[in-house]
Amino acid sequence: MAEQEEDFSSLPLPDRFVHKNWKVRKQGYEDAAKAFQSTPDESDPIFKPFLLDSGLWKGAVADSNVAAQQEGINALCSFLKYGGRNGCMRTRNSTITPIFEKGLSSTRAATKQSSLEALLLYVELDKADPVIEELLPALSNKQPKIIAATLSALTSIYHAYGVKIVDPKPVLKALPKIFGHADKNVRAEASNLVVELYRWLREAIKTLFWNDLKPVQQQDLEKLFEVVKQEPHPKQERLLRTQQAAVAAAPVAGGGDDLEGEGEEDEEEAEVDAFDLAEPVDVVSKIPPDFYENLASTKWKDRKEALDALYAVVKVDRIKDGHFDEMISVFAKCMKDANVAVVTVAANCVEALAKGLRKSFGKYRGRIMSPMLERLKEKKQSVADALGAALDAVFASTSLSDCLEEILEFLKHKNPQVKLETLRFLIRCLKTTRDAPSKAETKSIADAATKLLTESTEITRSGGAEILGTVMKIMGERAMNPYLEGLDDIRKTKIKEYFDAAEVKAKDKPKPVAPPLKAAPVPQKKVLGKKTGTGVKKAPPRAATPQEDPPPPPPTTKPATSRGIPSKLGGVPRSGLAAPSGALKLQKKLAGPTGASVPVLSSPQRNIPTPTFDDEAIPPPKLGLGGRGLAGRPLGKPVSAHPEYTAPPAAPGMSAIDRAELEELRAEKERLQKLTEDLRADKSKHASQINELQNQNAQLIEDHTRDVLSIKAKETQLVRARSDAEAAEQTVQKQQREMERLKRELSRVARATTPPMGTDAGDHIYRDAGMGMNGTNHIVSGVDRYESGRASRELGYQRARSYMSSPSEEKENGGLDAQRGKLGSPESRGRDASDGARSRGESPGRGQEGRDGVTGQPIESWRRAAEVTSQLKARIEQMKARQGLARPH
């Protein structure tokens, strides 16, 4: 048995991996894991056979013996850990399927853990997309335990790496089918996976699969989400190999601060947007065919219905990019619509389209932003809110630099409502932008906001202060101090309050200042002559005026290799070596007013070593001339072993007069600066007063216009009233003339129907009344009829007077009808006859008896009375006809 074991151990590892004895395979897996751990790097030859034949790992992971399978998966983990990315890519397609079929669903906990570790290593070494693609078919497996184990593995992968590394969309699309599985363990693992994804995605997770779940399942998940909402946002627990390399290289490269900054940005953007998870929708093909036709209708309801139908189409999380030029032109035209409902729906459509396209909408910004800003003059709050939301969506698709010019232009609008809403829009832009404005943009914003501080309305002034406070929060207090000069303390306090309360997403990051270069070491000046002796003390400094008598110092003294520090008087400590006569002459010319010599400074660009000459090369000065002036110099050039050296020109120094003049100039500059600040303050104050006076003037003009319009309206009403009065007066005159005519007509009719005073009226009508009656009765009857006619005439005169006194046509007609009724009624005739009898001193009964006695007259008398009556009626009808023709209509 021992010999057999020795033979097995001597076999190569690939041969032992495929041996039919499970113990040999198990031992081979263990030896391979130890060999991989002892390799120095990824290029070790031991990895080569396993890279060339990936089927070895497929057999190891799917080993029929559970003990050998456990060691085989451990060996795979060791191979991936030490073999690097190359081993991952060569074996991934062969091992993931047996891992979820045999390893994740194993009954051994160690095997499950090793299988999960292998999957995590596959993600760590390369990327997660191929691993997720290989695991998705396991969700459709017939065995519930495999599905549940795969869901658990996916939960662990997302928990370790997060949704930034592992794309959640493929898994979210498969979740509705999994929630409909019959096995409760599968549904439970699916719920755990959704809760884990909710930790990273929050509400954005509901955009893909939420509507496909049953209401009961939604309620159960909502209960689980409530627990997660109380937890802090998760962080990535396991790094990829590329991230590990970046972290390891960060301290070496000195980029620790940059990594921390990136980490802060990742925390800010940790919550994934629904836009990133949603699938693009082609809305162009879904636009109603009669959309543009209905939008051109003259009825506002047709236009609104067309926009409502379009809004239902574009209200999606993500829109596929296409050609929306015509649609944008239609929206810009709708912003000028007279109906506010059409404007509101159009703004909603713009908002939905901008949110669905995001950055792709930026190319349409210039065509739609100006019409929306112009429409902000609408005072209805619902319209202003819709336009504000649409403007925010348009700004989110662009940047502050793109929109700033138009915004600042509309801040100068003459309409106060447009100015106020544009101001609020700019504040929202500054709070949401992630890019800090440049210095030029900051200056333009600050200038516009400073002008707003002088407005007449409080809300506009507060808005200007809020703009300055928000910009200060982005750029910093130091950068904004120049723009706050000249403002009073009250306004500065207001700006400071908004600065403390502002919450912005952008921060101005100044460019890192390069470290100062180390100064190059100053080369030591070497003496080209003889070496000086050691221990020789430095000669004391000499006076500025050169001496004539002493000879040049001996060369044994220490040469002037360096210059001394200037004294307060401007002098320089002199070295022991005397300067040539020309140098002395130059020093005398550059001497200050106090007689002290100006220090001779060397050029800062280069350091030229000062040569040392031998004694023979320097000719001694002549005694008679003292070495001063041109006469003290020899006419010929001195012969020397060394070439002639010309010292560089010395820079002129600054005298006390220059310093005094400089101080005066500085004081003058300070006075000018102070004067400039005072002038700026006065200018700002005067500008404020001018604006207030302009506002007052505008208010007075508006009041004057209102008064003029009111006066004109009153004058119009007065003219109209005069015209009505004249028309009424003419009508009254016509009625008076008509009444006079009627009076004449009535009097004529009365005269025509009344017999003469000396004639018996009874003889005309009742000529044969003598049969059966005496003559006295006939006379009485005639007199009665005459009295009755006179009473009728008096009644007619009364009617005419009442007709003249009636002011209106209705009363007039009513009065006439009433009088006619009274005239035609038997009671009135009876009353008139009674009154006539009483006036003659007779009783009414007597007259009645006389009239009753007439009934026995012959038939001819009745015919004559009938003819008279008909003639009277005909005349009355003619009179009525003439009255009807003469009356004005």
Side-chain angles (χ1 to χ4, degrees):
M1 189 71 182
E3 294 178 358
Q4 191 175 5
E5 289 180 359
E6 290 178 2
D7 294 337
F8 291 150
S9 62
S10 62
L11 291 175
L13 287 176
D15 294 342
R16 295 161 66 181
F17 268 48
V18 296
H19 202 277
K20 55 184 177 180
N21 190 341
W22 69 270
K23 293 183 179 180
V24 177
R25 296 196 302 272
K26 179 176 179 295
Q27 188 63 38
Y29 299 151
E30 294 175 356
D31 294 344
K34 294 177 182 179
F36 295 148
Q37 294 177 6
S38 60
T39 54
D41 53 23
E42 300 174 1
S43 60
D44 195 275
I46 196 173
F47 295 109
K48 188 174 182 180
F50 297 97
L51 294 174
L52 296 177
D53 187 6
S54 59
L56 296 175
W57 293 116
K58 182 177 181 180
V61 173
D63 201 300
S64 57
N65 187 275
V66 292
Q69 180 192 15
Q70 178 179 343
E71 297 299 332
I73 297 176
N74 290 336
L76 175 63
C77 293
S78 180
F79 172 78
L80 294 174
K81 186 175 181 180
Y82 298 102
R85 184 171 180 269
N86 193 19
C88 163
M89 298 180 65
R90 290 291 185 90
T91 60
R92 182 170 52 201
N93 296 333
S94 302
T95 56
I96 292 182
T97 300
I99 283 177
F100 70 73
E101 288 180 350
K102 297 288 186 179
L104 293 176
S105 59
S106 176
T107 55
R108 292 195 171 194
T111 304
K112 289 182 179 181
Q113 187 63 32
S114 299
S115 301
L116 179 60
E117 180 65 23
L119 293 176
L120 294 175
L121 285 171
Y122 275 122
V123 176
E124 176 183 330
L125 291 170
D126 187 23
K127 54 184 179 180
D129 294 342
V131 178
I132 300 299
E133 185 178 353
E134 293 287 340
L135 288 176
L136 285 179
L139 300 180
S140 302
N141 199 285
K142 295 181 180 180
Q143 300 183 24
K145 66 176 183 178
I146 294 178
I147 301 175
T150 306
L151 290 172
S152 178
L154 289 172
T155 304
S156 301
I157 291 174
Y158 283 110
H159 185 80
Y161 295 104
V163 294
K164 290 288 185 181
I165 305 299
V166 188
D167 188 10
K169 286 196 291 186
V171 177
L172 288 174
K173 292 179 181 178
L175 282 177
K177 183 180 178 180
I178 297 174
F179 271 99
H181 201 278
D183 191 87
K184 64 178 182 179
N185 295 328
V186 173
R187 296 195 301 271
E189 290 295 339
S191 299
N192 295 335
L193 176 58
V194 171
V195 171
E196 179 60 36
L197 290 174
Y198 185 82
R199 293 176 63 241
W200 298 90
L201 302 176
R202 299 298 179 181
E203 295 299 324
I205 194 177
K206 298 181 180 180
T207 58
L208 290 180
F209 77 104
W210 190 256
N211 294 329
D212 298 331
L213 300 180
K214 297 178 181 179
V216 178
Q217 294 174 338
Q218 293 179 358
Q219 294 175 3
D220 294 341
L221 290 175
E222 287 289 355
K223 294 178 181 178
L224 297 175
F225 292 163
E226 291 297 330
V227 181
V228 178
K229 290 179 181 179
Q230 308 299 328
E231 300 177 359
H233 201 279
K235 297 181 181 180
Q236 183 178 346
E237 297 181 356
R238 188 162 178 166
L239 301 179
L240 302 179
R241 283 293 174 89
T242 55
Q243 294 175 331
Q244 294 176 11
V247 172
V252 179
D257 297 338
D258 296 339
L259 290 177
E260 291 177 0
E262 292 178 1
E264 293 176 359
E265 292 181 359
D266 291 340
E267 290 179 3
E268 292 178 0
E269 301 180 359
E271 188 171 348
V272 180
D273 193 1
F275 180 83
D276 300 329
L277 300 177
E279 291 293 333
V281 179
D282 186 10
V283 299
V284 178
S285 59
K286 297 181 180 181
I287 297 176
D290 57 346
F291 168 70
Y292 296 103
E293 181 180 355
N294 293 337
L295 204 58
S297 175
T298 57
K299 298 180 180 180
W300 70 270
K301 289 186 178 180
D302 295 342
R303 300 195 299 271
K304 183 178 181 298
E305 289 175 358
L307 290 172
D308 287 335
L310 179 65
Y311 180 70
V313 174
V314 299
K315 185 61 177 177
V316 293
D317 293 323
R318 191 169 185 176
I319 298 176
K320 184 179 180 181
D321 194 11
H323 299 286
F324 298 96
D325 301 84
E326 187 176 2
M327 190 182 299
I328 296 298
S329 301
V330 167
F331 291 153
K333 184 178 179 181
C334 289
M335 293 301 156
K336 301 178 182 179
D337 201 289
N339 190 276
V340 294
V342 176
V343 177
T344 303
V345 181
N348 294 336
C349 292
V350 173
E351 179 187 2
L353 192 63
K355 288 182 177 180
L357 289 175
R358 291 289 176 92
K359 296 300 180 182
S360 301
F361 189 83
K363 54 188 175 183
Y364 307 114
R365 178 203 58 81
R367 301 167 59 182
I368 193 63
M369 178 171 281
S370 293
M372 287 196 296
L373 289 172
E374 187 69 34
R375 189 64 186 192
L376 287 173
K377 62 185 178 182
E378 193 66 43
K379 293 183 178 180
K380 194 172 183 179
Q381 191 61 35
S382 59
V383 182
D385 293 342
L387 290 172
L391 287 170
D392 293 343
V394 172
F395 174 76
S397 64
T398 56
S399 62
L400 181 63
S401 301
D402 297 335
C403 306
L404 186 60
E405 184 177 356
E406 288 186 50
I407 295 174
L408 294 180
E409 189 66 26
F410 275 89
L411 278 179
K412 306 173 185 177
H413 203 278
K414 59 183 179 181
N415 191 314
Q417 185 69 18
V418 175
K419 184 184 297 185
L420 178 61
E421 294 297 332
T422 306
L423 185 150
R424 292 172 177 171
F425 174 52
L426 177 57
I427 293 173
R428 295 195 301 270
C429 292
L430 292 173
K431 289 182 178 180
T432 56
T433 183
R434 294 187 178 274
D435 301 326
S438 61
K439 291 184 178 180
E441 293 169 350
T442 303
K443 183 179 184 303
S444 59
I445 295 173
D447 293 343
T450 305
K451 292 180 180 179
L452 293 176
L453 293 176
T454 60
E455 289 289 332
S456 59
T457 57
E458 171 62 24
I459 188 170
T460 308
R461 294 196 298 269
S462 299
E466 187 172 359
I467 290 176
L468 290 174
T470 308
V471 176
M472 185 186 293
K473 193 76 171 183
I474 297 174
M475 305 301 296
E477 296 185 53
R478 182 178 179 183
M480 290 297 294
N481 283 336
Y483 306 109
L484 302 183
E485 293 180 358
L487 298 180
D488 53 18
D489 295 337
I490 298 177
R491 291 172 178 170
K492 288 182 179 180
T493 304
K494 193 76 172 178
I495 294 170
K496 184 66 175 176
E497 292 176 359
Y498 283 114
F499 165 74
D500 296 334
E503 295 181 1
V504 297
K505 296 182 180 180
K507 288 290 184 181
D508 183 37
K509 297 179 180 179
K511 296 181 180 179
V513 181
L517 298 176
K518 294 182 179 181
V522 180
Q524 299 292 334
K525 296 180 181 181
K526 296 182 181 180
V527 181
L528 300 179
K530 298 179 181 179
K531 293 184 179 181
T532 57
T534 58
V536 181
K537 293 184 180 180
K538 186 177 179 181
R542 302 179 62 183
T545 305
Q547 299 292 333
E548 298 177 358
D549 298 332
T556 56
T557 57
K558 187 175 181 180
T561 57
S562 61
R563 301 183 183 275
I565 301 175
S567 64
K568 294 182 180 180
L569 298 177
V572 181
R574 299 292 301 275
S575 61
L577 180 63
S581 59
L584 294 174
K585 195 71 177 178
L586 182 61
Q587 288 181 5
K588 290 178 67 177
K589 290 181 179 180
L590 296 178
T594 57
S597 61
V598 180
V600 180
L601 303 177
S602 62
S603 176
Q605 284 80 8
R606 56 181 180 176
N607 295 320
I608 301 175
T610 304
T612 304
F613 302 99
D614 296 335
D615 297 341
E616 294 84 359
I618 303 174
K622 295 182 179 181
L623 297 175
L625 298 176
R628 291 194 299 266
L630 294 175
R633 298 182 182 179
L635 297 177
K637 293 183 179 180
V639 179
S640 62
H642 302 281
E644 184 179 359
Y645 173 75
T646 304
M654 183 178 292
S655 62
I657 297 177
D658 295 337
R659 289 194 185 92
E661 185 178 359
L662 179 60
E663 294 297 330
E664 291 179 0
L665 290 175
R666 287 177 178 173
E668 184 67 22
K669 181 181 178 182
E670 291 178 359
R671 286 195 298 270
L672 289 176
Q673 288 179 348
K674 186 176 180 181
L675 180 61
T676 304
E677 291 177 358
D678 295 340
L679 292 176
R680 285 178 181 174
D682 294 341
K683 181 181 178 181
S684 176
K685 188 185 301 181
H686 293 158
S688 176
Q689 294 176 357
I690 289 172
N691 288 331
E692 292 178 358
L693 292 175
Q694 288 177 350
N695 293 331
Q696 293 177 4
N697 187 24
Q699 186 66 30
L700 291 175
I701 292 174
E702 185 178 357
D703 296 341
H704 176 68
T705 305
R706 192 184 303 112
D707 295 340
V708 170
L709 293 176
S710 177
I711 292 171
K712 289 183 178 180
K714 296 295 183 183
E715 290 178 352
T716 304
Q717 293 176 3
L718 182 59
V719 171
R720 196 172 296 167
R722 287 176 179 174
S723 176
D724 294 342
E726 292 176 358
E729 186 176 357
Q730 292 177 1
T731 304
V732 169
Q733 292 177 358
K734 288 181 182 179
Q735 295 296 335
Q736 288 178 354
R737 289 195 296 270
E738 182 66 20
M739 286 188 295
E740 292 293 335
R741 189 185 64 79
L742 289 174
K743 286 169 61 177
R744 291 193 300 269
E745 188 68 23
L746 287 173
S747 62
R748 187 178 64 80
V749 170
R751 287 195 303 270
T753 57
T754 303
M757 296 294 294
T759 306
D760 189 3
D763 294 339
H764 295 282
I765 301 175
Y766 307 105
R767 185 175 295 173
D768 299 330
M771 292 183 297
M773 297 183 66
N774 53 17
T776 306
N777 292 335
H778 292 289
I779 295 173
V780 171
S781 177
V783 172
D784 291 341
R785 289 181 182 275
Y786 175 76
E787 293 296 332
S788 177
R790 189 176 64 179
S792 299
R793 287 195 300 273
E794 292 178 356
L795 181 60
Y797 294 153
Q798 292 177 0
R799 290 198 191 100
R801 285 193 295 270
S802 65
Y803 178 78
M804 291 174 62
S805 62
S806 60
S808 65
E809 188 175 354
E810 290 183 0
K811 293 182 179 180
E812 174 187 338
N813 296 334
L816 287 175
D817 294 340
Q819 294 297 336
R820 287 171 188 168
K822 292 179 180 180
L823 182 61
S825 62
E827 291 82 359
S828 64
R829 290 196 296 270
R831 284 195 301 271
D832 294 340
S834 300
D835 294 338
R838 289 191 186 94
S839 65
R840 292 192 303 270
E842 299 175 356
S843 62
R846 181 179 178 182
Q848 185 68 25
E849 292 175 358
R851 284 193 297 272
D852 293 339
V854 183
T855 56
Q857 295 178 0
I859 299 175
E860 288 80 8
S861 299
W862 286 105
R863 289 178 180 175
R864 182 67 179 273
E867 290 176 358
V868 173
T869 304
S870 63
Q871 291 176 1
L872 182 60
K873 288 183 177 179
R875 289 182 180 178
I876 292 174
E877 292 296 333
Q878 292 176 0
M879 183 179 64
K880 288 182 179 180
R882 285 195 301 272
Q883 180 181 358
L885 292 174
R887 179 176 297 176
H889 296 285

